[in-house]
Each structure stands twice: as structure tokens, then as C-alpha cells.
Amino acid sequence: MSDAVSGCTRPRTTVTEAEVEALVHGICFKTGPPRRLGVEVEWLVHELRAPRLPVSPERLEALYSALRTVPLTSPLTVEPGGQLELSSLPATSLMECIGTVAADLDAVRAVLREDGLALVGLGHDPWHAPRRFLRQPRYDAMEACLDRTGPAGRFMMCTSASVQVCLDAGYEEPGPLGHVRRWWLAHQLGAVLLAAFANSPLACGRPTGWRSTRQLRWTGIGTGRAGGPPLDADPRGTWTRHVLDAPVMCVRRDDGAPWDVPEGLTFRDWTRNRAPRPPTREDLDYHLTTLFPPVRPRGHLELRMIDAQPGDDGWMVPLAVTAALFDDPEATETAYRAVKPLAERTLGRPAPHNPLYRDAARDALTDPELREAAVTCFTAALAALPRLGATAAVTDAVAAFVERFVLRGRCPADDLLDLRGGASRGPYGRETHS
């Protein structure tokens, strides 16, 4: 959620339905050789010595004021609940991306330690109820909009954190690195990544029945806001229709008044009805930032289904694995063959509102088919990492993750459940549901 827009630009350039179609169709997939890589790492901020105690808004404000003076390469943003996010600049190699973000994180952690605070890698806050830190028109409107579908939106806004991997869209032509294949692979492999890196089994101090409660929250805010489009051979056209038919979150204002939150208004309707005012190019750009599918095309592909990971360097593992499986042709072909049988479990429904993503979020790698696919994919990624120039430290970190979790049919969420006695409570995925 690094798309925060400060203020509102007075409407200038209105757009028609045909112009919106042409604009979205032209910008959603920018094809070419896969050369660049990026990552967005979100973190919860907790008390270093007493993480169950809430951090006061005053301390958070002082912290973020101090962080604004720290020279960083990666843009630093604050999320609605006070989470921190670092968004890397596009890198030309895996190690460039890792090195830049790691250095920035070291600088950020040094500031937090001075105030007794810590960055915590969990996909969902295990103790605290949603609490808004940022009070801005964007987030007021978002909260009002998402409240219509229930409490999931507030949890998503204020208590969730992720590792988002950004990849080039791929070549225009067919093949393992073509954009149509990479778009399809991102969705099917996304279920495997979701399962393997699930790290959010608790909320408000109790098990939710889902190893990725974060994904449960995203699913709960509805298909129009957090759903993807159907998968077919024309991802540009399909995504363009999806954007036009998605509900408008809000109509921005620049007079200081609360932003309008229309109900049932799609962007297509807005272009046709021209009310409450004609939509502009700026409105379209903003609308695109209010859609949260598990894979979002922004010229590049943004994979959004991975929970934040434990440890200072845990975020490097999903970044390295995903980069290897998408940018190494041999690993890409192996991953494609491994996840192809899983596609049947979607029943043709878009992610994440299908049985495959449900099972991945709830059962993770206790699901035999997801475990088998994960073993194949992670093994291929390990073999590919040296070809991508990964250092021994990064390769060793991935190998340790494979040994600790993937080969054993486990994920980081299982460690959290074991710590609170979850291992003796029977099959977790069938316990208490939220």
C-alpha cells in the first residue's frame, strides 16, 4: 500500500471511456527482456521488550519525524496503522536489490532501537486490534468504503504487512519469459508462495484457523476491490475491462471537505454518467492504486500475496525464490510444469477468491499438492540462484528455509503455533475459523 496520494489535484484533463481503455491497455504491461527487479517490504512496529503493548501515536509520530531525516535509497512510507514500508528502486540484479534494501533497513532499525522499538516481520498483528494512525482523506475514504463489506478492511489497513516482489512483465512474444505466461504463472505460483511463506496465524491473541490471516483479510474485502480478473490469452484486454468495471473507492476533493464515497459506481459508469463530476486522468491513476489483486500489473508485475517474514533478513528468501523462478528460463519452465496441475483447483475463478488460494491461505503446505509443488519449485530456485549471481549467504538462507519448512510441509506460521502450544491442538486448518 505504498500508493498514498497526498492532497488532491484540481481536475484538469477529463477522460472518456474509450480514452480510459486506451490508457490502461497501453500501460498495464510494458514488455521487454526481464532485466529489473524490485521489492516492497512492510513491517509492523512493536515495542522491543514488550511487543504486546501498543505503541502510542505520539511515539510513532516522533519516530517517523526522526526517520524523515535519515538518508535512504529506498522511499520510506507509513501505512494507515503505523506500519513502515520500504520500496526499492528498480534494480538490475538480485544482489543489487538485496544490498540496497538491506542497507536501508539497517539505518531504519538503528533509529528504532534508540527509542526501544523494533521492526517485526509478521503478516498480521497477532495481538492488537485495528487502530488508525494516519488521518488523511485517502484513508478516511478507504475505511468508509471497506467498512461496507465488514471488518476485514480495517484489519487489512492497520494490522497487516507483506513482502511484495516486483518483476518485469516479460517479452511480448510467447515462451517461458513471455508476458502471457508470466501473468498466468504469477497467479498459479502465487498460491504456492502464499502457502510456503504464510506467517500470520493469529489475531487478537488467538488462532484464526488460517495460516495466512493476512490473505483471509484481503479476500474478505471483496472481489471488486481485492480480486483479480479471469486468466486468458489477452491479459491486457482482460485487465482493462477489470479496471473499468471495478468500483470507485472515492471521488477526491480539494476543498478540505471529506472525499465522496459512492456506492456501486464503477469507473465505466463514471465515464458515462460524468457525475458527480467528470473523471480525469488523475482520477484514473488514483483508481488504479485502489485495486488490490494478488497480482497487480503496473507496467511490471507486482506480486502481493506473500506475508511479511520473520527475522531481520527473512524478506530476502521470498525475493530470491521469486526472482529465480521468474527470471531463470530453466527454473521458470520447471515451475510452470509444477503448478500447472494446481490450476484445475481454481475452478476457473479468479484469485484469490477460488479454492486454491483458500486452501493455500488456510492449510499452507499441509496440503499435499501444494507441498509437492513447493518442493519442486524451491529446489529449482536453489539451483538457479548461482546463475543469477546470488551470494553464498543468500543461497544458504534459501536452503535453510527449504530444509526447515518446505521439505517438512511447514511454513513460518507453524512455528508461531508451536510457540503457543498449537502443535498439540490437532490439524490447525480445521480449528477455529474467523
Side-chain angles (χ1 to χ4, degrees):
M1 290 179 57
S2 61
D3 309 299
V5 176
S6 59
C8 176
T9 302
R10 185 176 298 277
R12 290 188 298 270
T13 308
T14 62
V15 288
T16 65
E17 181 179 352
E19 288 170 336
V20 170
E21 288 181 343
L23 285 167
V24 177
H25 197 275
I27 65 176
C28 56
F29 293 90
K30 296 178 181 177
T31 53
R35 291 188 180 129
R36 296 183 299 174
L37 177 70
V39 68
E40 300 176 16
V41 286
E42 294 176 337
W43 303 87
L44 305 176
V45 177
H46 285 173
E47 295 282 356
L48 184 61
R49 302 190 184 281
R52 296 191 184 213
L53 295 178
V55 182
S56 71
E58 294 76 18
R59 287 186 71 197
L60 288 175
E61 185 57 52
L63 167 67
Y64 300 146
S65 295
L67 285 174
R68 282 192 281 271
T69 69
V70 178
L72 301 171
T73 302
S74 309
L76 178 70
T77 53
V78 180
E79 299 300 303
Q83 311 98 306
L84 279 180
E85 178 179 279
L86 275 172
S87 303
S88 75
L89 299 178
T92 57
S93 71
L94 172 62
M95 292 314 305
E96 177 190 340
C97 186
I98 287 177
T100 299
V101 175
D104 286 341
L105 283 170
D106 286 344
V108 169
R109 288 193 178 98
V111 175
L112 267 71
R113 280 196 300 269
E114 292 179 0
D115 198 28
L117 299 173
L119 297 179
V120 178
L122 290 168
H124 191 282
D125 195 306
W127 301 299
H128 305 131
R131 182 188 63 171
R132 283 269 304 284
F133 170 71
L134 293 182
R135 292 291 172 183
Q136 298 174 0
R138 166 185 168 90
Y139 296 121
D140 292 343
M142 178 182 288
E143 185 176 271
C145 176
L146 297 182
D147 278 351
R148 291 171 178 161
T149 58
R154 293 196 182 201
F155 278 98
M156 177 274 292
M157 291 174 64
C158 301
T159 66
S160 69
S162 68
V163 176
Q164 298 175 17
V165 180
C166 299
L167 306 153
D168 278 334
Y171 289 99
E172 186 69 26
E173 58 267 22
L177 299 183
H179 77 284
V180 175
R181 171 77 73 87
R182 285 164 75 85
W183 175 245
W184 183 92
L185 181 63
H187 287 84
Q188 311 306 340
L189 181 59
V192 177
L193 299 174
L194 164 61
F197 294 113
N199 187 38
S200 52
L202 307 173
C204 299
R206 300 176 59 233
T208 63
W210 297 72
R211 284 175 169 82
S212 179
T213 301
R214 174 184 168 274
Q215 184 60 57
L216 173 66
R217 302 303 190 200
W218 279 109
T219 304
I221 68 174
T223 58
R225 187 69 52 203
L231 298 180
D232 59 22
D234 178 25
R236 285 192 180 94
T238 305
W239 176 251
T240 299
R241 290 189 293 274
H242 181 76
V243 169
L244 275 163
D245 293 330
V248 172
M249 176 174 284
C250 56
V251 177
R252 301 176 300 158
R253 302 171 61 114
D254 61 358
D255 59 2
W259 294 2
D260 297 325
V261 184
E263 188 166 7
L265 176 71
T266 68
F267 207 90
R268 190 187 302 277
D269 294 334
W270 196 6
T271 62
R272 292 176 177 178
N273 300 334
R274 321 294 281 177
R277 60 167 173 78
T280 67
R281 171 65 188 268
E282 293 80 15
D283 290 320
L284 173 62
D285 292 342
Y286 181 79
H287 176 63
L288 291 169
T289 72
T290 68
L291 304 180
F292 309 117
V295 184
R296 186 162 64 174
R298 306 184 67 186
H300 57 273
L301 301 182
E302 184 181 84
L303 277 65
R304 305 171 53 87
M305 72 290 294
I306 301 170
D307 281 355
Q309 293 298 288
D312 288 354
D313 299 331
W315 60 274
M316 298 180 186
V317 176
L319 172 61
V321 169
T322 306
L325 294 177
F326 276 86
D327 291 347
D328 179 85
E330 183 178 338
T332 298
E333 190 61 32
T334 299
Y336 173 76
R337 292 196 301 268
V339 302
K340 193 172 182 180
L342 296 176
E344 296 181 4
R345 292 174 56 175
T346 68
L347 303 181
R349 301 173 191 167
H353 299 88
N354 62 46
L356 177 61
Y357 269 68
R358 178 201 62 206
D359 295 345
R362 185 186 61 197
D363 302 331
L365 297 189
T366 63
D367 182 291
E369 287 184 303
L370 284 167
R371 176 181 180 178
E372 180 181 359
V375 170
T376 300
C377 291
F378 276 69
T379 301
L382 264 176
L385 283 173
R387 297 193 290 268
L388 296 183
T391 62
V394 171
T395 304
D396 289 347
V398 174
F401 187 94
V402 172
E403 174 62 31
R404 181 174 180 176
F405 295 115
V406 178
L407 295 179
R408 302 179 185 184
R410 291 173 61 86
C411 64
D414 292 308
D415 281 0
L416 294 173
L417 291 169
D418 288 351
L419 286 174
R420 71 178 313 280
S424 63
R425 303 162 75 94
Y428 176 68
R430 302 290 185 254
E431 199 178 8
T432 303
H433 292 262
S434 172

